[in-house]
Amino acid sequence: INAEYMGHFLSVYFFSFLAMSSRLSIAEVNEELRLRIIACGNPGAGKSLLLNALAGCALFKSGQSAGVGLTTKLQFATSPQGLIFGDTPGLDDMLSRKQCAREIENALQAGGYYKIFFVIAPVNGRFIGSDIATVKIICDAINIPNFPFGLIVNQVAETLWKQLKNDQFKRTFVAQLVSALGTKVPQKTLFLPEVKQFKETGKEFMPAPPELLDFVDKLPCVRIHPQSVKNINVDSLDQLQKRVADLQKELERSRRAANSASIRRLAAAQEFARKQAETDRMLSAFRKEQEAEARRMEAARNAAVAEARAARENAGFNILDVLTFGLHRLF
């Protein structure tokens, strides 16, 4: 538990005195001081499995039954370490949407200190509108300025997980996610890969990965008063979901346009590089041909000089022979 929450424990005696002076029981004040770690999200996102991992044991049933989440009512459970975890139902089921909204309101109106995170699961590499809409309408119901919450992108498929290792792709993906959330910006975001063995076997507990523990530990703790929680407006969910879907389509068109532009720029760069390489090759061949021609001309010039020198030497010997012959005849 981070330092912010530890500070609340240090004031327990003050609250005990406050309880006696206000005729509240110490048990009620202690209940107010207890930290609740709440997971919100739609069915199948993996909330219960993550809470079990954080608790270190199987506190909640996890999985889906006939496409409907197993969590249909608010569930609070205490871990062996004394931490309170809350598993909330999703809002994706139209038949039980209003009932589930009341359950989430009850979880938030319990009052006290909270760490709240949302769990969404992308489908085919993209987040779905109902998940984003759920985050927005629950945050809208909490009347706290700059309400701090966390976001876990869970069950990331292998293909998307590999793509997220590219920093540019991850920045684009997160930017699209934040754009869809609008003014509701998560304080912390965590990506977790799909764990196939738990999905296939239906196990309800797995050891918490270090990054999940670190995520929850560093997630800000916020005090929520019951009067700060408004009714969750589930009637706007479908309309909001449609707006999010339209925004996703617009973002997808922008992404494709940007990709097309990038592909065109890449193709132009490759064509320029090809022409540059061809020009360099032609210049190199021309230079080699010029050097060879220069060597041939130099060799021809040297041969001509040698031949001229030999001719001059031969001409000098012939004149000497004539003079010698003439002198012999004269004497």
Side-chain angles (χ1 to χ4, degrees):
I1 301 174
N2 58 25
E4 180 183 3
Y5 184 62
M6 287 299 296
H8 304 310
F9 275 115
L10 295 177
S11 60
V12 65
Y13 294 109
F14 169 76
F15 279 101
S16 298
F17 173 78
L18 180 64
M20 290 184 288
S21 62
S22 61
R23 295 186 179 179
L24 293 174
S25 69
I26 294 178
E28 288 175 319
V29 175
N30 287 339
E31 182 66 21
E32 176 76 6
L33 284 172
R34 296 181 73 182
L35 174 67
R36 293 174 174 85
I37 300 174
I38 306 291
C40 301
N42 284 320
K47 305 186 301 294
S48 304
L49 186 61
L50 292 177
L51 288 173
N52 288 342
L54 290 169
C57 60
L59 293 179
F60 308 100
K61 290 185 177 180
S62 64
Q64 283 186 288
S65 177
V68 179
L70 292 180
T71 305
T72 58
K73 291 185 178 181
L74 168 65
Q75 300 179 51
F76 277 121
T78 304
S79 72
Q81 295 78 23
L83 291 173
I84 301 176
F85 293 92
D87 194 4
T88 61
L91 300 175
D92 212 19
D93 186 1
M94 293 185 63
L95 297 178
S96 61
R97 181 173 293 173
K98 290 188 176 181
Q99 175 192 345
C100 292
R102 300 295 84 80
E103 294 290 333
I104 297 172
E105 291 169 10
N106 292 336
L108 300 174
Q109 289 173 347
Y113 294 93
Y114 290 81
K115 288 192 176 192
I116 298 177
F117 61 88
F118 293 86
V119 184
I120 66 174
V123 177
N124 297 326
R126 295 175 178 84
F127 49 87
I128 57 178
S130 59
D131 284 346
I132 302 302
T134 296
V135 175
K136 289 174 72 68
I137 67 168
I138 293 178
C139 288
D140 284 339
I142 303 173
N143 189 23
I144 295 177
N146 301 318
F147 166 63
F149 67 93
L151 181 67
I152 297 179
V153 183
N154 195 31
Q155 299 179 9
V156 178
E158 184 177 358
T159 301
L160 178 58
W161 185 257
K162 290 179 180 178
Q163 291 175 321
L164 288 170
K165 291 182 178 180
N166 181 287
D167 291 338
Q168 180 61 41
F169 180 89
K170 187 173 184 178
R171 282 194 295 269
T172 302
F173 188 88
V174 172
Q176 291 181 353
L177 188 59
V178 171
S179 297
L181 288 170
T183 58
K184 311 303 179 184
V185 180
Q187 191 85 11
K188 292 182 67 64
T189 302
L190 174 66
F191 291 86
L192 291 175
E194 183 179 27
V195 185
K196 292 183 178 179
Q197 61 266 34
F198 289 93
K199 189 174 182 180
E200 293 168 356
T201 60
K203 291 183 178 179
E204 297 177 347
F205 171 72
M206 68 173 184
E211 57 269 30
L212 175 61
L213 295 173
D214 184 68
F215 169 84
V216 175
D217 180 60
K218 294 180 179 177
L219 189 64
C221 175
V222 60
R223 186 176 188 181
I224 300 179
H225 297 279
Q227 58 270 27
S228 300
V229 181
K230 302 182 295 185
N231 290 336
I232 296 174
N233 186 11
V234 292
D235 294 331
S236 66
L237 188 62
D238 291 332
Q239 183 180 1
L240 183 58
Q241 183 176 338
K242 184 179 183 302
R243 289 207 303 268
V244 172
D246 291 340
L247 177 60
Q248 280 185 289
K249 290 178 182 179
E250 183 180 344
L251 290 171
E252 182 65 18
R253 284 194 295 268
S254 300
R255 187 185 66 82
R256 289 180 179 178
N259 287 344
S260 298
S262 298
I263 291 172
R264 288 194 296 271
R265 287 195 297 269
L266 179 60
Q270 290 175 337
E271 179 64 14
F272 175 79
R274 186 189 66 79
K275 290 183 177 180
Q276 185 69 39
E278 180 67 16
T279 301
D280 291 344
R281 187 189 64 79
M282 293 175 63
L283 287 173
S284 178
F286 178 72
R287 284 195 294 268
K288 289 180 180 179
E289 185 176 344
Q290 282 188 319
E291 291 172 357
E293 181 65 22
R295 287 194 296 271
R296 287 196 296 270
M297 291 181 65
E298 180 68 17
R301 187 183 68 81
N302 292 338
V305 169
E307 185 177 352
R309 183 182 297 113
R312 286 195 300 272
E313 291 176 354
N314 290 335
F317 285 131
N318 291 337
I319 293 173
L320 182 60
D321 290 343
V322 170
L323 290 176
T324 303
F325 178 75
L327 289 174
H328 279 294
R329 291 291 302 269
L330 181 63
F331 295 105

